[in-house]
Structure formats: structure tokens, C-alpha cells
């Protein structure tokens, strides 16, 4: 089964909610499922200074994603994606996923 978790910014700060998701992801991956964690990295675009081009900010977020989290032993087979999407559209996209049975519609 393909399972996707959608989380906020891919921060390396310890978080109880993220820890629970990572535990679920490890469990599901270890039991034969294909797990993807999708990080909404919009915050990266606003936190970094304005003089840095958006393309550099996006590249930074994607590279940072390779090494996160450092505080939790996440299964190496779990796919991690970084998506830049306005959060106000998230509910519509998730409903579209349910209605059409799409896998990872955020990446289309």
C-alpha cells in the first residue's frame, strides 16, 4: 500500500507530533508498505532573507531535506519530498486525492 504523510516545514527541531508520524512511517515501511513524507516548505521561502533568490531558497530546502531529521532514526527506504504550495490550497488538493484516488497529488 502507498501511504503519504503531509507535514509542515522540514525543520530539524524536536517535535512530539513529528516523532509520532516518524514512528508510524517506520512501522508501516517495515511492514511492507511504501511510505512517503511530504514536507510543505513554504516557510523556508519567507524565513530566509529577501535578497536570496527563490530558486536558491528552494534548492536549500530540498538539500536540507536529505539530512532531516537528525534526532530520529527514520527508515532509509522512506521517501521524502519537499513541496512548495500555498497552504490555503491544501484541503482542496487532499479532497482531490480522495475523490480521484490519486497518489501524491501534491507532486503532479
Amino acid at each position: 500500500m502507498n501511504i503519504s504523510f503531509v507535514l509542515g516545514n522540514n525543520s530539524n527541531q524536536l517535535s512530539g507530533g513529528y516523532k509520532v508520524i516518524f514512528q508510524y512511517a517506520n512501522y508501516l515501511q517495515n511492514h511492507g508498505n511504501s511510505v512517503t513524507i511530504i514536507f510543505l516548505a513554504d516557510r523556508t521561502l519567507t524565513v530566509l532573507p529577501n535578497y536570496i533568490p527563490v530558486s536558491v531558497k528552494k534548492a536549500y530546502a530540498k538539500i536540507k531535506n536529505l539530512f532531516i531529521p537528525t534526532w530520529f532514526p527514520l527508515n532509509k527506504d522512506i521517501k521524502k519530498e519537499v513541496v512548495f504550495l500555498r497552504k490555503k490550497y491544501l484541503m482542496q488538493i487532499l479532497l482531490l486525492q480522495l475523490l480521484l484516488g490519486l497518489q501524491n497529488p501534491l507532486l503532479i
Side-chain angles (χ1 to χ4, degrees), residues 79-103:
K79 295 179 224 97
K80 296 185 289 178
E81 301 286 344
V82 176
V83 176
F84 300 92
L85 175 75
R86 294 181 187 264
K87 291 182 183 181
K88 67 181 183 179
Y89 299 119
L90 180 60
M91 187 56 70
Q92 291 90 338
I93 290 173
L94 293 176
L95 287 173
L96 181 65
Q97 179 184 20
L98 290 173
L99 293 172
L100 301 177
L102 298 175
Q103 295 179 16

Side-chain angles (χ1 to χ4, degrees), residues 31-83:
H31 286 81
N33 297 289
S34 176
V35 177
T36 302
I37 299 176
I38 301 167
F39 292 99
L40 299 176
D42 293 338
R43 188 166 181 267
T44 303
L45 300 179
T46 59
V47 171
L48 295 175
N50 288 335
Y51 61 82
I52 298 175
V54 172
S55 59
V56 173
K57 292 178 183 181
K58 288 183 177 183
Y60 167 76
K62 290 183 182 209
I63 291 169
K64 183 175 87 165
N65 188 51
L66 298 173
F67 306 103
I68 291 189
T70 58
W71 53 268
F72 188 86
L74 194 61
N75 186 320
K76 300 291 183 204
D77 295 327
I78 293 173
K79 295 179 224 97
K80 296 185 289 178
E81 301 286 344
V82 176
V83 176

